[in-house]
Amino acid sequence: MTATTALLLTAPAAAPLAVAAGYALTGFVRHEVPRGLPAVWRTQESRPPRVRKAPVLTAAGVAGLPEREEAAVASPARAGHPSDWAALASPTVILTCAALLASERVDGGWVSAYSGLLRADALTVWMLLVVGAVAFIACASAPAHLAAERAAGNATAWTMWRYHMLVQTFLGAMCLAVVSANLGVLWVAIEATTVVTAFLVGHRRTRTSVEAAWKYVVICSAGIALAFLGTVLLYYAARQAGIAEAWALDWPTLVARADRLDPAVTRLGISLVVLGYGAKAGLVPLHAWLPDAHSQAPAPVSALMSGVLLSVAFAAILRYRVIADAALGPDFTRVLLAGIALLTLTLAAGLLLAQRDFKRMLAYSSMEHMSLIALAAAIGSPLALSAALLHIAGHGLAKATAFCASGQILHLRGTTKIGRVRGLLAQSPWLGALFGLAVVALLGFPPFSLFASELGIARAGFATGAGLGWATAIALLLVLVAFAALATRTARMLLGPAEAAGESPSALWPLAAGLAACAALGIATGPLGHLLTQAAAVLERP
């Protein structure tokens, strides 16, 4: 282990935690942290939210707000506190470390640090790039979102510091889950994301958001408990197979010696792990938290949860799948993942048809895309695995853009009801165009990368065999249903006469950057093509 390697593996998780500590220290130094529990109760954020008329942008200014608040809404990018932009340090460090690992350290192999506790292969680097890119979009969109919250009277100085601390801790936990080679540490990191994001879901402390946070905690805790039990069973199987205690949960060791694991214990353990981490990935049967949590969380947090949290949880399933295929053969995980994928896709398509809330609509769209990734994992061919990883990246970029745009639509119109949003393109051409293009990307149109990834999944499914060919055909029919529902409801929001004119294009550059990256990835993977192939090779059946 060299010092440089240790630094590159540690920094992605350590940098966000250091930034979180900086925000906490700044809040204490400025005496903006509430002192004592009664003081917390007396803060504005703890009282029932005030009923305020939604601000309307007009040529003369902002109707419905005091003069001191008009500038904050009319120009949210400029109204953001300078400290809000410090959050961009974390995604910058994550992207830099991933790029250095890809270019210098990982080339068809792997590097490790701390006696193998932290490890980076091509899959690790790919996931770090996805986490860093989506985090950059979310953190760059946060200043405008927080400025609008301040202007609407829904936030205090302390809630802003708390928001940044929790988001940075969330990023640190996800990066730890990605770089960890120990399945026990992986479980701890994913459990940490549950604890942190529960507070973020209930950030505004309204009745609905607190209810969504509790629902999220209960369901995901049940899922994490199942994953813990599955991990324990796998540890037991490893010990029974003669693997030393220190290496019984080491992923490379388990892959190398998977043929020694007891099949019955391994089968039960893998089933519990898939169900448990599937809860965090938004897969049936423990999926019910997802629409409530994503619709109530702040828009940048929804972007992180949908764009990368679901993918990080599914990356854990992909790691376990390699062990299961080596120990049990490919048929077990193929049937399990294909069944879960079709059930999730059926439910998501049906709920999209009846959806009337645009943030919940995007949440159900996440279920649809995670089911396609699960189907690709079930297929398991090199083409399918490459398409799945490309789909993870494209979905993260497009969904982060869509959720951040939805937050600005909420601030502009004061509602998340699809029926109450009309003429978005006429009222806010830039915002409407970016939201519409994000949905177009999610629908799988070229030049966005989701077109190439969905085409790759379909080709791989039909080429594998009759069983998965039929499963792929059914999945494509369900995708068409979801396509029609998503396209119809988005068109209703974008088209029609405008209520008022005006917007702030300066707050939209992170969304444009996300869409540009998604389109560039769909046109040509460039230097990432080799990394994508290597990452898929890591997941191929031994």
Side-chain angles (χ1 to χ4, degrees):
M1 178 189 72
T2 65
T4 303
T5 300
L7 178 62
L8 292 178
L9 290 175
T10 306
L17 296 179
V19 175
Y23 276 117
L25 181 62
T26 304
F28 276 103
V29 169
R30 294 187 177 187
H31 304 291
E32 291 171 346
V33 179
R35 302 290 182 179
L37 192 56
V40 176
W41 288 350
R42 290 194 298 269
T43 58
Q44 182 179 5
E45 62 176 340
S46 302
R47 295 196 297 264
R50 292 180 293 172
V51 178
R52 302 182 55 147
K53 184 178 179 181
V56 177
L57 295 174
T58 64
V62 184
L65 289 179
E67 290 182 2
R68 68 178 181 273
E69 297 180 351
E70 290 186 9
V73 177
S75 183
R78 290 191 297 271
H81 195 280
S83 61
D84 293 340
W85 296 101
L88 287 174
S90 297
T92 302
V93 170
I94 295 170
L95 289 172
T96 302
C97 290
L100 291 175
L101 284 170
S103 61
E104 298 180 7
R105 303 285 166 176
V106 177
D107 187 12
W110 51 271
V111 294
S112 63
Y114 307 111
S115 300
L117 188 63
L118 301 184
R119 182 179 186 273
D121 51 25
L123 177 61
T124 302
V125 173
W126 182 265
M127 292 304 301
L128 282 177
L129 288 173
V130 175
V131 172
V134 174
F136 190 89
I137 297 171
C139 292
S141 300
H145 173 83
L146 296 176
E149 288 288 288
R150 293 189 194 99
N154 294 324
T156 64
W158 167 237
T159 59
M160 299 299 99
W161 298 115
R162 186 184 65 190
Y163 170 88
H164 286 302
M165 285 187 293
L166 291 173
V167 167
Q168 295 298 316
T169 307
F170 179 29
L171 287 177
M174 285 194 293
C175 289
L176 179 60
V178 169
V179 301
S180 174
N182 186 284
L183 299 182
V185 177
L186 170 66
W187 181 88
V188 171
I190 294 182
E191 170 65 3
T193 65
T194 303
V195 176
V196 173
T197 49
F199 290 101
L200 287 169
V201 170
H203 176 71
R204 295 186 66 179
R205 297 191 179 183
T206 63
R207 179 184 180 88
T208 308
S209 65
V210 171
E211 180 182 346
W214 275 110
K215 189 174 184 179
Y216 171 64
V217 168
V218 171
I219 296 177
C220 285
S221 295
I224 288 296
L226 292 176
F228 177 75
L229 182 57
T231 304
V232 170
L233 288 174
L234 202 62
Y235 175 83
Y236 171 79
R239 295 290 291 136
Q240 291 298 108
I243 300 176
E245 181 180 353
W247 303 98
L249 287 178
D250 182 64
W251 183 76
T253 302
L254 289 172
V255 172
R257 304 181 184 180
D259 56 335
R260 305 181 187 179
L261 301 180
D262 181 80
V265 177
T266 303
R267 187 177 294 107
L268 179 58
I270 293 297
S271 299
L272 292 174
V273 165
V274 170
L275 290 176
Y277 288 141
K280 293 289 292 185
L283 299 175
V284 167
L286 299 175
H287 63 279
W289 65 270
L290 191 144
D292 293 301
H294 287 201
S295 63
Q296 293 303 316
V301 175
S302 298
L304 286 171
M305 293 178 70
S306 184
V308 283
L309 177 59
L310 304 184
S311 300
V312 167
F314 198 85
I317 295 177
L318 291 175
R319 295 278 188 184
Y320 276 94
R321 171 192 157 277
V322 180
I323 300 172
D325 288 352
L328 307 171
D331 290 339
F332 175 72
T333 54
R334 180 175 293 167
V335 173
L336 180 62
L337 289 174
I340 291 176
L342 290 180
L343 288 174
T344 305
L345 188 53
T346 302
L347 181 65
L351 292 173
L352 278 171
L353 287 173
Q355 197 47 238
R356 299 293 181 268
D357 183 294
F358 57 79
K359 289 195 73 176
R360 293 176 71 90
M361 175 184 74
L362 294 176
Y364 286 122
S365 170
S366 297
M367 291 177 59
E368 172 207 350
H369 286 282
M370 293 309 300
S371 63
L372 289 176
I373 296 170
L375 179 61
I379 296 169
S381 65
L383 174 59
L385 294 174
S386 297
L389 295 176
L390 182 61
H391 202 87
I392 284 175
H395 172 257
L397 292 169
K399 191 56 65 67
T401 301
F403 264 116
C404 290
S406 72
Q408 298 199 31
I409 295 172
L410 172 59
H411 288 137
L412 183 66
R413 292 297 185 89
T415 181
T416 59
K417 300 298 181 183
I418 296 174
R420 297 181 183 177
V421 179
R422 291 288 186 272
L424 192 59
L425 277 175
Q427 178 183 4
S428 305
W430 285 99
L431 177 59
L434 290 171
F435 180 75
L437 286 174
V439 174
V440 166
L442 293 172
L443 292 175
F445 279 104
F448 299 104
S449 62
L450 291 171
F451 170 76
S453 59
E454 290 182 4
L455 182 61
I457 294 172
R459 287 179 55 199
F462 288 124
T464 301
L468 284 175
W470 279 106
T472 304
I474 295 171
L476 290 179
L477 290 176
L478 293 171
V479 166
L480 288 177
V481 175
F483 178 101
L486 196 60
T488 302
R489 280 152 181 76
T490 303
R492 291 177 183 174
M493 296 173 60
L494 297 178
L495 304 179
E499 294 182 359
E503 64 177 352
S504 177
S506 60
L508 302 176
W509 68 266
L511 314 185
L515 285 178
C518 187
L521 198 59
I523 295 172
T525 55
L528 295 178
H530 182 56
L531 178 64
L532 180 61
T533 302
Q534 290 182 331
V538 172
L539 298 173
E540 289 181 20
R541 295 184 172 100

